[in-house]
Amino acid sequence: MRIGSGWDLHHLKAGRPLILGGIIIPSLRGEEAHSDGDVLIHAIIDALYGALGDGDIGSHYPDTDPAYKDVSSMRLLDDTLTHMGERNIINLDSTIILDEPKLRPYIDTIRKNLADAMHLSIGQVSIKAKTSEHTALDVISAQAVVLLS
Ligand code: MG
């Protein structure tokens, strides 16, 4: 068994799409980033590389590399899964911290999209959403923990 944890944070910017787990969420602001800014997938990728003991998202997909400009984080996740070789994901648990918009209506859609992308059942993919209690209105952050066998 190997456990990994990941965390990420992005500024929110007007006119950018808000993308979480590969799903576009209706919002006036989205993640400011070199890539598509999918903060949830970035935390998951860091958790996976952490469990592998093999660096982090920045060492595998540097944001100074033009190849990753506006890249879909789903593509990076797919590449990360190929790095895992024969290892299996037992479960994934994650938390998104965002004040607006409320994410509850979209959580199951995100879970399903991630479960499909990671070849998992929806019961293996937990996504929770919290607010910052208005202490961090201009950012979105996400935490993820994975267990590999
Ligand atoms: Mg990021």
Side-chain angles (χ1 to χ4, degrees), residues 29 38 46 65 71 112-113 136:
R29 299 189 299 172
D38 192 325
D46 257 357
D65 186 337
V71 70
K112 173 83 168 63
N113 198 51

Side-chain angles (χ1 to χ4, degrees), residues 24-101:
I24 297 176
I25 309 293
S27 173
L28 294 175
R29 299 189 299 172
E31 299 106 330
E32 189 171 24
H34 182 74
S35 68
D36 69 359
D38 192 325
V39 70
L40 176 60
I41 290 186
H42 294 178
I44 293 168
I45 288 173
D46 257 357
L48 289 167
Y49 279 117
L52 296 173
D54 182 16
D56 61 18
I57 189 168
S59 59
H60 287 272
Y61 316 109
D63 64 7
T64 51
D65 186 337
Y68 301 118
K69 174 101 179 89
D70 297 325
V71 70
S72 164
S73 296
M74 292 291 279
R75 218 194 85 205
L76 302 183
L77 178 61
D78 195 52
D79 186 74
T80 304
L81 295 174
T82 63
H83 268 80
M84 286 175 42
E86 296 301 300
R87 297 176 188 86
N88 290 309
I89 297 169
I90 294 178
N91 74 308
L92 156 69
D93 185 24
S94 61
T95 304
I96 303 163
I97 300 102
L98 177 69
D99 286 276
E100 289 285 338

Side-chain angles (χ1 to χ4, degrees), residues 121-142:
S121 67
I122 198 161
Q124 291 171 287
V125 179
S126 163
I127 300 171
K128 309 185 297 299
K130 301 187 80 71
T131 75
S132 76
E133 296 279 355
H134 296 88
T135 64
L137 288 167
D138 295 323
V139 300
I140 180 170
S141 62

